[in-house]
Structure formats: structure tokens, C-alpha cells
Amino acid sequence: MADLILVNSKFTAATFAQTFRHLNARRIQPDVLYPAVSVEQFDGPCVYKLKFLSINRFERKKNIGLAI
């Protein structure tokens, strides 16, 4: 059993609860940890190649093109 379960939004937490009903019944619920980006890393001249990582389902509604 995990010590901590984290999800990235309240929507995902609700989906988790619907998917894992047996955990939800035992009041085992994930905590929401919103993704954060340190914007300070983008100040000044670019001295390295920026890499983009998106971990999700590739669906049209996710609009991956907009993210890139």
C-alpha cells in the first residue's frame, strides 16, 4: 500500500475516486499536487536546448499542438 497518492487536479482526483471505488469507500483519497514550473529558469540567454515532456493520453481534446 502506498504512503501517499498524488494527482494533478481535482478532476483527476474525482476520476480516481470513481475508478477505485474500493479505496474511496475506505476513505483512501489522493492529494492534489498542482504541477509547477519555475519561471526563473527562462530568464536570460538560452544556453541549453529546452525539452518538452507531456505525460498523458494523446487525445484530440488534449490539444497537444497548443501545448507545444
Side-chain angles (χ1 to χ4, degrees):
M1 185 67 96
D3 292 325
L4 181 64
I5 301 170
L6 298 173
V7 294
N8 65 348
S9 68
K10 290 181 181 179
F11 173 81
T12 305
T15 302
F16 181 94
Q18 290 175 354
T19 304
F20 300 102
R21 294 176 192 263
H22 63 286
L23 292 178
N24 192 43
R26 294 174 52 196
R27 298 190 184 272
I28 299 172
Q29 300 171 338
D31 290 322
V32 177
L33 176 65
Y34 294 103
V37 174
S38 173
V39 295
E40 290 83 24
Q41 67 180 322
F42 301 111
D43 291 342
C46 183
V47 294
Y48 57 91
K49 200 183 254 188
L50 182 64
K51 296 184 180 174
F52 182 83
L53 174 65
S54 176
I55 301 174
N56 61 58
R57 293 170 294 171
F58 289 101
E59 297 181 31
R60 185 178 307 264
K61 68 180 181 180
K62 297 282 187 174
N63 202 353
I64 300 300
L66 176 63
I68 294 173

